[in-house]
Amino acid sequence: MVGDETDSRNPYESFEDNPYRSSVDIFTNESVLKEDWQPEKLPEREAELDEIRNALAPATRGVNAHNLFLYGKTGQGKTVAIDHELALLQDYAASQDDFNLSVIKTSANNQTTSYQLCAHLIKEIRDSRKKPSGIDQQSMFDLLYEEISDLEETVIIVIDEIDAIGSNDELLYELPRARKNDHINDQWVSVIGISNNLQFRDNLSPKVKDSLYDSEIEFAPYNAEKLTSILERRAERAFIDDVLDDDVIPLCSAFAAQDEGSARQAIRLLYKSGELALNHGNDTVSETHVREARDILERKRIEEGMRSLTTQDQFALLSVVALEIDGETPARTRQVYQKYKSIVDRLDGNQLVERRVRDHLQSLGMQGFLLAETRNTGIQGGSHYRFELKTDLEATLDILGEDTRIDDVVSDLTEIATAKELT
DNA sequence: AATCCACAGGAAAATGAGGTGA
DNA sequence: TCACCTCATTTTCCTGTGGATT
């Protein structure tokens, strides 16, 4: 009886036929390839770690740690490096009676002004859920000083993605000088800023540069060689011996180095390649898997970006898509704007002025959806942009069609597009 | 080489949505 | 409720630009 019951629940002849059972093994420790895995060692960044250590060292001698600014593109180990050094410093502090340290670590992500960042810091320090608001900027700063005065003698504030606050940088001026201006008396406050945006540094106001820039450390993009050694170290722990073809790691490194030089990207690529091999039932990971993985990841990146577009961005993108289908690309801003007006009209949307649509088109260009080429053709043309779609037309229509506000127009466009393809 | 077109893009002001404490 | 905050987005107004044309 029991046997019968088991049979009725298991349509497969035996355990071997269960679809979850993989015929091949690729990974030994997959978690090493996950986003949140933290390496213990950073041999490729020894020089930078040294610099960080030198900048933090004064804290152990009872004075200010240097203010520090780390910049470099994403996936260059900035955050890992600072975490690593701060953990060491905190360990040291714990072993010393006369060295008391508070580390506030936060990300300025979505905090677009000094005011918001300040509120965010207060929230972090209080460990509360709500950001204070509704008061003027100076009161907000004062509130922050109050919170800081409850902390230990040495305070290190780490602000990741500090470039989010743009040019609104008063807080960065205030904080390092808090002691000088008598807002804080018995404490040492220093700021560590981390930025992905290399231009951010140049856009800071001179007075901020002056007070914040004790030391700055640049994390130059990893070259293919360094990426290879990073990947090899991870692969050794993550994969079964000898499942990787010889050219897999160099290829992953090369792709990532060509693009951004990001270790994160390289690891993602390696991980995806392994997954693909596993899903296909191959017992080794080969170059084909890497190439396939790259295509998939690239498409995914575009899809994600496209889903988070604002309505106006969608209108602008849609205008270019429509022109693309009509075969009228590359098109000038003027042309795009005409199209834009008719689309917005039909969708009963908010019609923006041309100047603004130009900004939207440009931001689409920055995000990689449009190819925006600026050129100058003299007396007939003057200087102008020419826009065309950079992403795959079909995929773009698919993704835009998911939005119910605009799917009307999208489905029409899709129809036209398919009709054209048939002729 | 001077001009000039047709647009680019900077700056400031306006708007309107979110919030505050009294 | 009111008066007042911040702040992203948008409009308005304006100056800047670079090569074809003269």
Side-chain angles (χ1 to χ4, degrees):
Chain A
M1 306 306 150
V2 177
D4 283 348
E5 266 186 303
T6 314
D7 279 343
S8 66
R9 269 189 275 129
N10 179 8
Y12 301 97
E13 287 291 312
S14 63
F15 173 68
E16 272 75 24
D17 292 329
N18 186 299
Y20 280 104
R21 187 186 153 80
S22 171
S23 57
V24 290
D25 277 331
I26 294 283
F27 298 109
T28 46
N29 183 6
E30 211 171 316
S31 64
V32 175
L33 297 173
K34 297 272 185 193
E35 291 278 304
D36 51 6
W37 195 80
Q38 292 250 355
E40 312 77 32
K41 285 190 175 170
L42 285 168
E44 287 77 20
R45 290 297 187 199
E46 275 305 330
E48 285 82 358
L49 288 176
D50 265 356
E51 284 190 63
I52 295 176
R53 211 164 298 148
N54 290 338
L56 294 181
T60 65
R61 303 193 292 266
V63 289
N64 250 19
H66 288 167
N67 293 315
L68 191 57
F69 200 81
L70 309 184
Y71 61 98
K73 291 185 179 164
T74 55
Q76 302 302 333
K78 298 184 298 294
T79 312
V80 178
I82 203 75
D83 281 350
H84 184 254
E85 285 304 315
L86 282 174
L88 288 177
L89 188 65
Q90 279 177 306
D91 278 354
Y92 177 75
S95 72
Q96 301 289 312
D97 293 337
D98 54 352
F99 177 31
N100 298 310
L101 174 70
S102 291
V103 174
I104 310 297
K105 200 164 176 298
T106 185
S107 164
N109 193 13
N110 296 328
Q111 317 302 322
T112 51
T113 60
S114 279
Y115 183 84
Q116 286 191 355
L117 178 59
C118 186
H120 187 67
L121 278 170
I122 294 166
K123 189 187 104 176
E124 291 283 311
I125 296 174
R126 285 180 175 167
D127 203 15
S128 70
R129 200 163 290 178
K130 224 174 72 179
K131 271 165 73 172
S133 61
I135 54 179
D136 66 274
Q137 181 157 303
Q138 196 52 53
S139 312
M140 191 63 95
F141 287 174
D142 290 342
L143 200 55
L144 179 62
Y145 295 134
E146 243 172 70
E147 291 297 329
I148 288 177
S149 65
D150 290 340
L151 299 172
E152 301 289 356
E153 191 188 353
T154 303
V155 180
I156 296 179
I157 299 176
V158 183
I159 307 169
D160 206 345
E161 298 182 58
I162 199 168
D163 45 294
I165 66 161
S167 54
N168 194 324
D169 53 15
E170 287 116 82
L171 182 65
L172 301 183
Y173 173 67
E174 284 269 333
L175 269 179
R177 301 171 59 93
R179 190 183 171 107
K180 230 177 264 174
N181 294 343
D182 273 351
H183 294 301
I184 286 172
N185 296 315
D186 310 316
Q187 289 171 298
W188 300 102
V189 178
S190 39
V191 178
I192 299 177
I194 304 177
S195 167
N196 296 327
N197 182 348
L198 305 179
Q199 278 133 42
F200 174 67
R201 176 165 135 268
D202 304 328
N203 295 340
L204 283 173
S205 55
K207 59 178 192 176
V208 170
K209 278 187 200 164
D210 207 40
S211 66
L212 185 62
Y213 272 66
D214 292 342
S215 349
E216 61 175 42
I217 301 173
E218 182 181 352
F219 283 64
Y222 293 116
N223 57 26
E225 199 183 314
K226 285 188 172 163
L227 286 173
T228 303
S229 70
I230 292 171
L231 285 183
E232 273 168 358
R233 222 169 327 116
R234 294 269 181 123
E236 196 163 317
R237 304 175 64 160
F239 289 95
I240 293 172
D241 289 349
D242 299 328
V243 297
L244 296 180
D245 283 2
D246 284 347
D247 46 6
V248 165
I249 287 183
L251 193 60
C252 288
S253 314
F255 279 146
Q258 267 168 35
D259 194 7
E260 299 247 283
S262 148
R264 186 176 304 147
Q265 193 185 7
I267 291 165
R268 243 183 234 159
L269 195 54
L270 183 62
Y271 186 21
K272 192 76 196 172
S273 307
E275 276 192 320
L276 285 173
L278 195 63
N279 294 344
H280 293 178
N282 305 123
D283 49 13
T284 59
V285 183
S286 70
E287 188 190 322
T288 2
H289 295 128
V290 179
R291 294 188 186 280
E292 194 183 340
R294 183 190 54 165
D295 292 346
I296 291 173
L297 291 179
E298 175 61 13
R299 179 164 168 143
K300 217 163 142 190
R301 195 181 62 79
I302 288 170
E303 281 180 12
E304 263 164 34
M306 214 173 265
R307 286 207 178 86
S308 59
L309 290 178
T310 63
T311 314
Q312 287 297 338
D313 280 329
Q314 287 179 333
F315 288 158
L317 181 58
L318 212 49
S319 313
V320 179
V321 168
L323 287 169
E324 184 91 18
I325 290 169
D326 295 346
E328 284 177 39
T329 52
R332 294 180 159 222
T333 313
R334 244 185 92 83
Q335 263 176 295
V336 179
Y337 187 61
Q338 295 304 321
K339 201 64 158 183
Y340 165 87
K341 279 199 287 193
S342 73
I343 287 176
V344 171
D345 220 29
R346 189 174 149 193
L347 290 170
D348 206 19
N350 221 348
Q351 193 181 102
L352 302 183
V353 105
E354 185 178 335
R355 175 74 186 81
R356 195 78 250 288
V357 174
R358 205 155 62 210
D359 282 346
H360 280 292
L361 286 170
Q362 276 191 56
S363 101
L364 289 171
M366 301 277 270
Q367 292 171 73
F369 303 127
L370 298 182
L371 196 66
E373 191 193 17
T374 167
R375 54 159 57 194
N376 194 313
T377 46
I379 207 145
Q380 297 105 336
S383 71
H384 60 268
Y385 271 106
R386 308 185 81 200
F387 295 101
E388 65 189 300
L389 196 64
K390 200 172 175 184
T391 55
D392 184 57
L393 178 61
E394 218 175 307
T396 308
L397 283 169
D398 268 2
I399 296 162
L400 288 176
E402 286 171 13
D403 196 312
T404 49
R405 284 170 302 184
I406 59 170
D407 62 357
D408 230 23
V409 170
V410 173
S411 59
D412 281 6
L413 287 175
T414 311
E415 246 171 64
I416 300 169
T418 45
K420 282 211 169 164
E421 249 165 71
L422 291 177
T423 55

